[in-house]
Amino acid sequence: MSGDENFPGQEHYERLFGPERQARLDIGALAAADDAPAASLAEPEVPFTWTEAWRSECEARHVMKLPHQARREHYAGVRKQRGEPAMQELIAEVNRQWVLAQPVA
């Protein structure tokens, strides 16, 4: 496939993230240095779902909903596969997601 051919879903992607929207999302040092409007520096409306941060948040939300014993087993599996620091990071993220899920009083 050459670089000129359309990839599957390109029309859908362009509707969602067309040139105007993409210009707002592609904020680099040059855009910030050119005194870009504050609105263009805001967080995107849709989070980037292909990032490690998103994966971590999704895993934490999943683990948060597990029954106590299943959650402990998941933590043990993470410790075995990824190590103690990864397990501690997951626990911290689960706790953060728990706080975020609580209604504001």
Side-chain angles (χ1 to χ4, degrees), residues 6-28:
N6 291 341
F7 60 87
Q10 183 172 358
E11 290 177 12
H12 175 72
Y13 178 85
E14 287 176 352
R15 269 196 312 276
L16 292 176
F17 302 101
E20 298 84 17
R21 174 160 176 160
Q22 198 59 41
R24 291 191 321 236
L25 298 177
D26 291 337
I27 300 167

Side-chain angles (χ1 to χ4, degrees), residues 19-20 25 27 38 40 46 48 50 60 66 71 78 85 92 97-98:
E20 298 84 17
L25 298 177
I27 300 167
S40 69
V46 177
F48 296 117
W50 58 87
L66 292 175
R71 191 168 44 245
V78 168
Q97 291 297 323
W98 178 261

Side-chain angles (χ1 to χ4, degrees), residues 27-42:
I27 300 167
L30 183 59
D34 290 340
D35 295 325
S40 69
L41 298 176

Side-chain angles (χ1 to χ4, degrees), residues 36-105:
S40 69
L41 298 176
E43 293 268 334
E45 297 165 12
V46 177
F48 296 117
T49 58
W50 58 87
T51 64
E52 176 60 21
W54 181 260
R55 187 211 58 79
S56 175
E57 291 175 10
C58 287
E59 180 183 21
R61 285 190 294 271
H62 167 73
V63 171
M64 178 179 74
K65 295 174 185 176
L66 292 175
H68 182 70
Q69 185 58 34
R71 191 168 44 245
R72 290 176 58 116
E73 291 169 4
H74 188 86
Y75 289 147
V78 168
R79 180 189 298 137
K80 183 178 179 182
Q81 293 293 317
R82 297 186 241 164
E84 181 73 23
M87 184 192 76
Q88 294 301 326
E89 288 176 18
L90 175 59
I91 291 170
E93 184 61 29
V94 167
N95 291 336
R96 188 178 83 85
Q97 291 297 323
W98 178 261
V99 170
L100 292 174
Q102 301 309 305
V104 177

